[in-house]
Amino acid sequence: MTPFLTRREHRARVGSTNDVVREWLAAGTPEVCLLVADEQTAGRGRDGRVWVAPPDAALLLSLGFRPTCLAPAQVWRLAAVASLAMADSAETAAGLPAGSVRLKWPNDLVIAMGDGSGPGGVRKIGGVLGETTGLGTADPRAVIGLGVNADWAATDFPTDIAATMTSLRELAGRRVERDDLLAVFEAYVEPRIDALRTGRFDGAAWTARQVTTGREVRLETAKGLETVHATGVDPLTGALIVADRGTATGDRHVVVGEIVHVRLGEPVVGQV
């Protein structure tokens, strides 16, 4: 275990890695703590959606932080840098070209197949779930959970979502060991977290990885469904920027808390 990690455990089976790490933090475990599991029986994504993966097929982990060095409005960057580190790690472990793993705002790791258009043009390989408590107090806590489809064969994909997902194994055309992916991730995430502690966030890298930019995006909110043109993301606030002729600046910022679900449409001609 490196000095970066104060606690590092591997478990064969848990309900949710996020729940276990949250308990560690509540019991006083200092940051940064890491739990890895072979299987989750109650894995989840945003808004209570279920995260399902067969035993040993996905890298499932959670990191625990006490982000006293970050303003409450910047704690979202922990999930952002963890996502960037995992994107780099996935490319390294699977031998993929740099920049091929993209981020789908707000919390998915994806691969654009071909030009990314048409059914199955963007396929999910992983997800990120950030959960916080005590922000703005003397005891802020944050848990960042990540699940990545590593050594998962396409023949075993759930039939109802097989057309929208893939795995590093399928992309690489060979087995991708979870332990190898984990080792690379630990090496890549440490310097990104250290940078955050000194006030440095690679907003340019986070922005460049976004697959939503330049697309029609269908947003599901508490108010209903809305189709918008996504023009970028804001590295200061983490918001999605969408075109809005009704505003003085011609754009509108959509924050994660407003969103129930995001669906990608086709790339807009002339946009990246």
Side-chain angles (χ1 to χ4, degrees):
M1 185 168 66
T2 68
F4 170 66
L5 296 173
T6 63
R7 181 173 182 176
R8 183 184 189 277
E9 289 189 18
H10 169 266
R11 297 186 184 180
R13 196 168 189 251
V14 298
S16 161
T17 56
N18 267 28
D19 290 346
V20 174
V21 171
R22 184 185 303 105
E23 292 170 0
W24 289 357
L25 293 173
T29 301
E31 68 169 35
V32 177
C33 46
L34 167 68
L35 174 66
V36 182
D38 297 333
E39 181 184 9
Q40 292 185 118
T41 59
R44 62 182 180 275
R46 289 187 67 246
D47 294 302
R49 286 188 286 272
V50 176
W51 173 274
V52 178
D56 304 322
L59 176 61
L60 307 169
L61 65 87
S62 290
L63 294 160
F65 300 92
R66 298 183 180 280
T68 54
C69 61
L70 296 173
Q74 294 180 336
V75 172
W76 67 270
R77 290 179 173 178
L78 287 170
V81 299
S83 299
L84 288 171
M86 188 58 80
D88 288 338
S89 303
E91 290 166 358
T92 298
L96 303 176
S100 58
V101 177
R102 310 291 296 278
L103 306 179
K104 176 194 163 193
W105 187 92
N107 67 322
D108 287 341
L109 286 88
V110 301
I111 290 284
M113 312 296 285
D115 64 1
S117 62
V122 174
R123 297 196 176 202
K124 182 173 178 176
I125 61 168
V128 183
L129 178 64
E131 298 177 313
T132 62
T133 187
L135 299 187
T137 74
D139 185 25
R141 306 169 202 164
V143 180
I144 309 300
L146 296 103
V148 179
N149 302 333
D151 199 43
W152 193 347
T155 52
D156 297 327
F157 290 172
T159 55
D160 57 331
I161 58 173
T164 63
M165 65 176 285
T166 190
S167 69
L168 297 183
R169 175 174 178 161
E170 292 301 318
L171 294 166
R174 58 173 172 81
R175 295 202 64 178
V176 175
E177 299 293 344
R178 293 176 304 137
D179 287 347
D180 294 341
L181 178 58
L182 175 62
V184 178
F185 173 72
E186 289 185 30
Y188 285 176
V189 77
E190 180 175 358
R192 289 192 178 274
I193 296 300
D194 286 344
L196 271 189
R197 288 170 172 159
T198 59
R200 293 177 290 123
F201 170 61
D202 194 350
W206 182 71
T207 299
R209 288 267 185 184
Q210 300 294 328
V211 76
T212 46
T213 301
R215 287 179 175 269
E216 294 297 322
V217 178
R218 189 183 188 195
L219 303 179
E220 180 182 347
T221 71
K223 297 179 181 179
L225 297 176
E226 179 184 14
T227 299
V228 297
H229 176 200
T231 60
V233 288
D234 182 2
L236 295 178
T237 65
L240 179 71
I241 304 173
V242 303
D244 190 340
R245 296 178 181 176
T247 64
T249 60
D251 60 43
R252 172 167 57 96
H253 288 209
V254 179
V255 298
V256 174
E258 299 177 49
I259 299 301
V260 176
H261 197 63
V262 177
R263 294 190 183 278
L264 294 181
E266 296 299 312
V268 177
V269 176
Q271 296 288 332
V272 176

